[in-house]
Amino acid sequence: MFGTTKVKLDSDLVAKIKRYADIAGYSSPEEFITHALEKELAKLADAGSEEEIKKRLQGLGYIS
C-alpha cells in the first residue's frame, strides 16, 4: 500500500504547482507532483552506477 510523506515547499512554488496542475487537468497538485517526479526519476532508473547517476543529474542541471 502507499504511504505518504510530507514535504515543505515554498509558497510561491506551491502556487505555481497548483496553477499548472489545474491547467494540465490533474485531479490534484499531489497527482501532478507525483507524475512530474516519476518522469524525472525515470531518467535515472537505468543508470548502472552512482557515477552514471551523477553524470545524468549534471546533464539534467540538478548538480554542477
Side-chain angles (χ1 to χ4, degrees), residues 8-20 33:
K8 291 183 180 182
L9 300 172
D10 179 79
S11 61
D12 290 340
L13 178 58
V14 172
K16 289 178 185 175
I17 291 167
K18 287 179 179 176
R19 179 172 182 248
Y20 299 155
I33 291 169

Side-chain angles (χ1 to χ4, degrees), residues 37-50:
L37 288 174
E38 286 175 345
K39 281 186 67 175
E40 288 302 303
L41 293 174
K43 295 174 183 175
L44 306 171
D46 63 343
S49 67
E50 190 171 306

Side-chain angles (χ1 to χ4, degrees), residues 41-61:
L41 293 174
K43 295 174 183 175
L44 306 171
D46 63 343
S49 67
E50 190 171 306
E51 192 59 36
E52 180 63 26
I53 292 170
K54 286 180 182 177
K55 285 182 182 178
R56 290 184 186 189
L57 287 170
Q58 286 174 333
L60 294 168

